[in-house]
Amino acid sequence: MGYFLLLIYSLLAPVIAGLYALFFLLSPRRSLMKDLGAEAGERLGLGRAAHADRPVWIHAASLGEVKAISKLAPELAAAYKAPLLITSSTASGRAEASKLGTARLAPLDFYPLAAAFIRRQRPLLLVVAETEIWPATLYAARRAGVPVFMANARISRRTLNLYKFLSPLTRLAFSGVKLIMAQSAPDAARFTELAGPGRVIDTGNLKHDLLPDPSSAGDKAAAFVKAAGWEGAPVFTAGSTHRREEPVIIEAWKEARRRVPGLKLALVPRHPERASETAAALEAAGVKFCRWSEGPVRSDCVLVDAMGLLLPFYAVSDICFVGGTLDDTGGHNLLEPALFGKPALFGPNYSNAGQAADALIKGKGGFLAGTAPELAEKISALLTVPGALPEAGAAASATLASLRGATARTMAAVASQLPPR
């Protein structure tokens, strides 16, 4: 049954890829597909071997996953005395991966293409990052004798149930996986349900080791604060926000200002290309604002419509909200505010960052708020109750420190299964 399902899946893979491309072409992010024709060769797994020597192959789906393995990747290459080959499913991921080693777009998860790619590249081992469970590629690696590891692995209950429903295909896909290194205990428990005991361990989240030095955030936001007349005023930054979250955040800010006069708002959408939607939400709420791209203007709200400014704004804020938690996204990096000793607020859907969220809540460096009134109440309390803000900031910093070390644990786990050269 497993082989039959793999056949059906492989036949459907090109159709799924086509529908995925069509979705993006019809979305506000259609510009991401402008190079689709030029990328076709890599999507089909064509081209020469990346290296004369057998490489360490790491697959990281997109920009976030590539960043997650950016410390692990060179350590693996050094340990196995091998070059790096990093594949990604997106152009932005490939661009980021090229900073680490040879980067390619991953071939479609269609068995003939995956098998041909593996024969051509001759990887020494394959490390799959986070949520990528590609049945055809994993099975092709097993057939080629390539040891497979899953690093920083995470899986939701919903995805787990899907793979359990397709259990014959799942068993086939996982048959060649030597070790699954989960990023949290709940993820490890869920993977154990799929892969069975003995092949799953909790090594922690690699992203916790990658957070930059706070001093590297720069002074762009600080210069804005001065030019916009925000000096001395409390600042609330809502970062990595999505469309459904922004009206809630705006309403919460307006309500909190009744108790905290002069409270400023920096709204940083996850995708700057949809800044016009964010602007429409601000206008609908009657908020006067300025755009970062238009230069500092004296206003109580700034719409940050450019990349690379989230951390600088977290650095100059008093309180931060981390987006992707009030819709079905699953949350972004909840620990980034802690870099600067700032407490984080977030909504109830933090499935992508469960370990960080639970640790922040337990340590009282992060706070759950699912509605505009709850957000407003927490913002107001932190800014008006004596000692509340510095205590929460210190707790956030302590939580961050307690979660680091995943890279070393991952390296040790791989070495236990495949001794370095």
Side-chain angles (χ1 to χ4, degrees):
M1 177 60 77
Y3 293 100
F4 176 73
L5 289 176
L6 179 63
L7 173 63
I8 298 300
Y9 170 83
S10 289
L11 292 174
L12 288 174
V15 178
I16 295 170
L19 292 174
Y20 188 76
L22 181 62
F23 168 78
F24 269 94
L25 287 170
L26 298 176
S27 78
R29 303 178 69 194
R30 63 181 64 89
S31 62
L32 299 178
M33 305 300 291
K34 63 182 179 181
D35 296 322
L36 184 60
E39 295 173 352
E42 289 185 54
R43 302 285 186 188
L44 296 175
L46 303 178
R48 299 186 204 175
H51 298 282
D53 295 330
R54 297 183 68 188
V56 169
W57 175 20
I58 302 177
H59 176 68
S62 59
L63 181 62
E65 287 81 1
V66 173
K67 288 183 175 180
I69 56 90
S70 61
K71 184 176 180 182
L72 176 68
E75 292 194 20
L76 282 169
Y80 291 94
K81 297 180 175 60
L84 275 173
L85 170 62
I86 304 174
T87 55
S88 183
S89 300
T90 66
S92 59
R94 179 184 57 181
E96 184 71 19
S98 67
K99 300 174 185 177
L100 301 170
T102 302
R104 300 277 173 87
L105 291 172
L108 293 176
D109 195 35
F110 179 54
Y111 182 81
L113 298 182
F117 180 84
I118 291 170
R119 284 196 302 271
R120 192 174 300 115
Q121 302 301 334
R122 303 177 302 113
L124 185 66
L125 70 156
L126 167 60
V127 177
V128 179
E130 299 208 12
T131 62
E132 295 294 283
I133 304 173
W134 285 13
T137 298
L138 294 178
Y139 180 65
R142 173 201 157 187
R143 288 288 304 273
V146 177
V148 178
F149 299 85
M150 298 185 69
N152 216 42
R154 61 183 172 87
I155 187 170
S156 67
R157 174 57 60 177
R158 180 177 179 180
T159 303
L160 170 65
N161 290 337
L162 172 63
Y163 279 102
K164 289 175 73 173
F165 177 74
L166 300 172
S167 58
L169 177 62
T170 301
R171 285 194 298 271
L172 196 63
F174 279 96
S175 61
V177 177
K178 293 183 73 69
L179 190 64
I180 300 169
M181 297 164 286
Q183 62 178 248
S184 72
D187 287 306
R190 288 190 284 269
F191 271 110
T192 299
E193 292 186 44
L194 285 183
R199 288 195 293 166
V200 183
I201 60 173
D202 173 13
T203 49
N205 195 328
L206 294 173
K207 291 181 180 179
H208 299 163
D209 290 348
L210 298 175
L211 293 169
D213 185 329
S215 62
S216 68
D219 58 3
K220 292 181 179 180
F224 173 88
V225 166
K226 184 176 181 180
W230 285 18
E231 288 182 304
V235 178
F236 170 48
T237 290
S240 297
T241 58
H242 295 256
R243 178 178 58 83
R244 284 167 45 194
E245 299 178 299
E246 287 160 357
V248 178
I249 292 163
I250 295 164
E251 183 59 33
W253 170 65
K254 291 172 64 178
E255 188 173 333
R257 278 167 58 88
R258 298 188 183 101
R259 291 180 57 186
V260 188
L263 178 64
K264 311 301 182 184
L265 172 64
L267 194 50
V268 190
R270 177 68 174 178
H271 304 292
E273 61 266 27
R274 51 164 299 275
S276 59
E277 291 182 1
T278 308
L282 288 164
E283 290 166 356
V287 175
K288 294 182 179 180
F289 65 96
C290 66
R291 289 176 177 259
W292 170 270
S293 59
E294 296 173 351
V297 176
R298 288 188 175 265
S299 171
D300 288 338
C301 174
V302 59
L303 168 55
V304 182
D305 54 355
M307 294 287 288
L309 293 167
L310 179 58
L311 292 185
F313 269 95
Y314 280 162
V316 300
S317 299
D318 294 277
I319 303 170
C320 308
F321 173 85
V322 181
T325 56
L326 289 174
D327 62 2
D328 56 5
T329 301
H332 298 296
N333 198 327
L334 303 182
L335 290 171
E336 285 178 335
L339 278 169
F340 311 98
K342 309 299 170 68
L345 308 182
F346 44 88
N349 187 0
Y350 49 76
S351 57
N352 293 345
Q355 185 183 28
D358 292 341
L360 284 166
I361 292 170
K362 183 178 179 180
K364 300 184 179 179
F367 304 92
L368 189 64
T371 65
E374 289 173 356
L375 272 172
E377 175 60 31
K378 184 50 65 177
I379 293 167
S380 302
L382 286 169
L383 291 173
T384 58
V385 175
L389 190 61
E391 287 176 10
S397 297
T399 299
L400 172 60
S402 72
L403 290 174
R404 288 181 158 170
T407 303
R409 291 189 290 271
T410 300
M411 286 295 299
V414 174
S416 72
Q417 299 292 316
L418 186 68
R421 292 179 174 181

